[in-house]
Amino acid sequence: MSLPKTSQWLSTMKNTQLKNLAFLAGVNTSGLKAALTARVERELFLPRLPATGGRILSVDMGIRNLAFCVVDVYRASKRNANDRAGVIDRLEVVAWRRISLLDGLNKEYENGVE
């Protein structure tokens, strides 16, 4: 698998911006700009799911509630030379739930527990 050439927008970033992007992507932030750019680019363009598909867990934490979603990802298998293997065939939501973080606090407050 060949990785794409250095994206022009990555090469125009200042070192501080590039380190911040690397940090947010979970990439090692040390080293010279050229090495950091190569690491960030490699991580950004790597496939994150196995060729056969996988499961994604998404968590959203707010001030008043917490929500999560679990999705199964199914990839299409290559049937002939013109097909693209690994293309997402379908997504299936396995679980989704929103949980109020204040409900328990309100009940404790009403019962006199502080």
Side-chain angles (χ1 to χ4, degrees):
M1 174 181 131
S2 72
L3 295 173
K5 299 278 185 222
T6 302
S7 301
Q8 206 164 34
W9 64 273
L10 278 178
S11 62
T12 60
M13 293 178 91
K14 294 181 179 177
N15 207 34
T16 306
Q17 295 170 315
L18 195 56
K19 284 186 177 191
N20 190 36
L21 178 63
F23 173 77
L24 293 172
V27 177
N28 182 354
T29 60
S30 65
L32 299 174
K33 184 175 180 179
L36 184 56
T37 301
R39 275 197 307 273
V40 168
E41 183 179 50
R42 185 175 58 244
E43 290 298 318
L44 290 179
F45 294 107
L46 280 176
R48 297 291 181 211
L49 291 173
T52 56
R55 179 168 276 189
I56 298 172
L57 168 64
S58 174
V59 178
D60 180 21
M61 181 70 181
I63 295 171
R64 295 187 176 134
N65 60 55
L66 165 79
F68 69 89
C69 181
V70 179
V71 177
D72 281 343
V73 180
Y74 297 93
R75 296 216 174 191
S77 47
K78 194 171 184 174
R79 294 176 196 90
N80 60 49
N82 294 329
D83 282 350
R84 294 185 334 188
V87 173
I88 293 175
D89 188 34
R90 69 184 169 98
L91 300 173
E92 182 179 317
V93 176
V94 177
W96 184 91
R97 187 164 175 204
R98 183 181 146 274
I99 303 165
S100 174
L101 299 175
L102 299 179
D103 284 347
L105 291 175
N106 290 337
K107 289 175 186 171
E108 288 178 7
Y109 181 74
E110 289 169 4
N111 294 332
V113 178
E114 293 183 36

